[in-house]
Structure formats: C-alpha cells, structure tokens
Amino acid sequence: MIESSAKLIAEELAKAGTDPELIGKLKKDRITIDKELPEMEFLLKLFDVPICPRGELVAFTGKAKSGKTFVMSMLMAAGSAAEALAFRRTTFEPLQVLWFDTEQSDQSTQDILRNRLIPMVISSPPKLGGARGGLKERTDSLVQTTPPAGTPPRSALPLCSAKNSGGERFPESMYDIFNVRTESWQERLPLLLAAIDMCRPDLVILDGVRDLVDDINNGQLAHDVTERLMRVAQQARCCIVCVIHQNKAAEDRTLRGSIGTELTNKAFEVYECEKMMPSRTFVLTQKLTRKYDITDSLYFTVDDRGLPHQVGAPMTGEVKTVVTVDVIARQTGLKAKYLVVHEGGSWEVNYQQLFRDALVGRGELCGGELRDRVMGLCGMKSAFQYSELLEKAKADGILCMRKAGKRHYYWLAAPD
C-alpha cells in the first residue's frame, strides 16, 4: 500500500513538472539579470527618503488615539501639495488619492476633510504640477462636501474656506473619499476593489484594514485578504496604505491579530505612531523596510485649530546646558534617583536599578503591572521609552519572563 501511494505521488509530480501551462508560468516568473522590469516608483518621500512605492502594501500602526489618522492626513495632503510637514511628493503631477474609511462616522470623516485636509493643502507651498483628473470623464468629484439636509448654514459651521487668499481652490477632483463603516465586513473588500477600479488612484488610504475581516484571528481569511490587496496594488499600480492597531498590552507593540501578522510579513514598510504624554507630542517612526532606512522620527503637535505642526524631538539623551541630575530631572520630568549623567552631558535612565526597585519583594508581576509600577517610580510618561528600557533589561539578563495565555510575567533574575 505504501509503495503504491508513493508511486502515485511520483507520477502526479512528474505530470505537474511537465505540464505546459505550469512551465509557461515558470518561464514568465523567472528573474534573470537582463530581464527588463519597470523601475520601482516611489510616490512620496519622508525626510527626503523614498517611501510608498507603487504596487506595494505599506502599514501604519500604533495604539488607539496615537495619531495615525493625523499622519494619514499628511500623506493625503502631500498628494496634491508640494509638501506636508516632512512628507514630500516625488512626482511632478499630483497624485490621485482614495481614502477608504471603515472606522469613523460620516461626520468625523467629513470633519477631517473640511477642517484638516483642505487647510493643509491650500496653505502648503506651491504645487509641483497642475491638477489631473482620475477618471477620463470626471466632471465633478466623488467627494461629498455638501452638508446634508438640516445642517446649519455654512457660516455657522467651523468650516475652512476651500480656497486660499491667492484664490487657489482645493483640488476636489484629486480626492475620492468613502466611508463604509455601516457596510458589512463581507461587502467592504468588494467595495474597495470597485473604488480602486473606478477611481484609478495612485495612493490608497485603507483606514483600517482590520475591518475587511470578521475575526481578526482568522488566519486563512487574513492571508486571503492580504494576498488580494497585494495583487490589486500590483495590477492597479497603486500603493495601498493599511492602517492597523497594535495589540492592546503596553509591552506588546506587534500589529493586531492574524491580519497584522500577514501585513508584517508582506508589507514593504511598517511605520509606528505614538502619542507622548504629558507634552501631547506625536511621533512617527519607521519600524521595518525592505529598502530605505529612515533613521529620523517625525515629531508633531496639534494646534488649537486641530492642524498638525512639526516640532523638534523631545530631549532624550543630550543636555547642552548645565549638566546636573536635577536640571535633567526638571527638563524630562523623570525622577533624579534613576538618572545617570555621563561626562560630556549625555545621560540615561538607570534601568537596572529601576526594575530592581519595581520588583524587589514582589515575586513576579504581569506586564501591565510592571509597566505601571516602573513608569510611576521614575515619572516616565512615554510607553515607547518604557518598552525600550524593558528590552534592555531583558537583554542584559536583569529580568526573566514567562508567557501564560496572552499575558507576560516578569521577575528579577538571580544574581550571578
């Protein structure tokens, strides 16, 4: 029986290996040094480094309310403006942008369009190129900016003008915006594919990709959706930016669920957003890339009009004034007890002592309890800074860890 089965398998493999259709596909898919391929085209730059290539998926992640939608506004604004904060468009002609919103209400999406995207575009530096319609016979925009019946008069709304002092109008024809929160999860992916086919975008903002599946931990569905997005991005020659939350645990910064795992593996780039308290400063950092590393982080705050403005990085490792522990403590808000100042003015957190104080006499603590205790002891406000210290403590052998279900537990390692 075993020999018979092996023979059948061998015969099937032999047939598969000589199938003309399969051979034809292999020849088409072969990569050689002289095969003519189109050059990779990047739509935008961040700090003058190319990002968001055509035909690829790009992921932006972060905890809830960490500034992801603010960053999406910058990407969209850069599509028709010369620049938006540290983002710049690489093409002479403006980009056709499709925003597919699955998370917010219709009113919130429209509010962002009216009071954030439009002001960012019309107050930007001069454009690199003229307007370009996405549809061959585009007579008006698919963007709906007309208030619904019963809405207060325009003058009573906190709505910015759709043109600047120089008379330049917001290029509505370059933006196609859809809110599909009320549609079922089964309908959202077909609607997205139809929108891409109809609008022919260069840049697609999918906010968020999690809402294309019913169960975030359904591995097969996550795989199928990601594969479909990759194919349509390549076929439509667009870049699809997928917004997805991180896992809820503070120490776990991985992308949420099976769909997050698939994106981590398949995306061309992954970026992380974080909100730093109490300064209310947002930071965007590149976490993964297949090509160009971006070493700088984008820091920005939001003014009283709700518009983002780029700021410098909060002081972290170098002090140019009088370098005393007390001065650094006042500037950073950290407790002087856990600060170490080095010759030349650099400083660091004494994470060895910090974790020992947090755990001494306590046996083991779960990740959330340890985080709260550590951050409370030293006055730390940034979860990102805590995560860096946690990784250092684990790497240095200060902490031991075990996993129980979805939780991580930590305790002090025995001294050598």
Side-chain angles (χ1 to χ4, degrees), residues 96 132-136 138 176 195-202:
Q96 194 72 40
R132 174 177 62 86
L135 298 172
K136 289 184 177 179
R138 180 185 290 266
D176 296 302
I196 292 174
D197 183 58
M198 177 176 67
C199 303
R200 300 191 305 173
D202 302 297

Side-chain angles (χ1 to χ4, degrees), residues 164-233:
N164 60 19
S165 57
E168 183 178 6
R169 297 191 62 84
F170 174 72
E172 281 190 272
S173 63
M174 304 310 301
Y175 294 90
D176 296 302
I177 303 176
F178 302 91
N179 187 300
V180 296
R181 188 174 76 165
T182 60
E183 308 295 345
S184 68
W185 73 268
Q186 297 98 327
E187 294 176 305
R188 289 176 187 142
L189 180 56
L191 285 170
L192 172 62
L193 300 179
I196 292 174
D197 183 58
M198 177 176 67
C199 303
R200 300 191 305 173
D202 302 297
L203 180 66
V204 178
I205 306 297
L206 174 52
D207 188 2
V209 66
R210 179 263 177 272
D211 294 316
L212 301 187
V213 299
D214 63 336
D215 180 0
I216 199 168
N217 292 312
N218 185 327
Q220 185 60 54
L221 185 56
H223 172 79
D224 294 344
V225 168
T226 306
E227 289 287 323
R228 190 69 183 275
L229 292 176
M230 289 177 62
R231 285 198 300 272
V232 74

Side-chain angles (χ1 to χ4, degrees), residues 9 69-70 85 130 160 174 183 207 303 321 340 388-389 398:
I9 292 172
T69 304
F70 275 108
L85 279 71
C160 71
M174 304 310 301
E183 308 295 345
D207 188 2
D303 65 18
T321 57
V340 178
E388 289 184 329
L389 296 185
I398 296 170

Side-chain angles (χ1 to χ4, degrees), residues 72-260:
M72 295 305 100
S73 301
M74 298 174 204
L75 293 177
M76 290 190 285
S80 58
E83 63 183 41
L85 279 71
F87 292 98
R88 292 185 63 87
R89 193 174 77 247
T90 61
T91 60
F92 178 77
E93 287 191 332
L95 304 175
Q96 194 72 40
V97 177
L98 168 63
W99 180 17
F100 200 77
D101 191 349
T102 69
E103 294 191 343
Q104 304 177 99
S105 66
D106 289 355
Q107 292 82 357
S108 295
T109 302
Q110 188 183 67
D111 180 68
I112 291 171
L113 167 63
R114 289 175 165 182
N115 297 309
R116 187 186 305 164
L117 183 56
I118 291 177
M120 288 176 67
V121 170
I122 66 175
S123 64
S124 66
K127 311 298 181 291
L128 297 176
R132 174 177 62 86
L135 298 172
K136 289 184 177 179
E137 297 180 356
R138 180 185 290 266
T139 57
D140 58 8
S141 172
L142 292 171
V143 179
Q144 180 58 259
T145 58
T146 304
T151 302
R154 185 183 181 97
S155 58
L157 294 171
L159 173 62
C160 71
S161 172
K163 62 182 179 180
N164 60 19
S165 57
E168 183 178 6
R169 297 191 62 84
F170 174 72
E172 281 190 272
S173 63
M174 304 310 301
Y175 294 90
D176 296 302
I177 303 176
F178 302 91
N179 187 300
V180 296
R181 188 174 76 165
T182 60
E183 308 295 345
S184 68
W185 73 268
Q186 297 98 327
E187 294 176 305
R188 289 176 187 142
L189 180 56
L191 285 170
L192 172 62
L193 300 179
I196 292 174
D197 183 58
M198 177 176 67
C199 303
R200 300 191 305 173
D202 302 297
L203 180 66
V204 178
I205 306 297
L206 174 52
D207 188 2
V209 66
R210 179 263 177 272
D211 294 316
L212 301 187
V213 299
D214 63 336
D215 180 0
I216 199 168
N217 292 312
N218 185 327
Q220 185 60 54
L221 185 56
H223 172 79
D224 294 344
V225 168
T226 306
E227 289 287 323
R228 190 69 183 275
L229 292 176
M230 289 177 62
R231 285 198 300 272
V232 74
Q234 189 171 39
Q235 293 166 357
R237 293 283 294 154
C238 63
C239 176
I240 301 181
V241 174
C242 302
V243 181
I244 185 169
H245 288 267
Q246 291 174 335
N247 286 318
K248 293 182 179 180
E251 70 272 17
D252 187 353
R253 307 178 80 85
T254 55
L255 280 62
R256 188 177 296 177
S258 296
I259 189 74

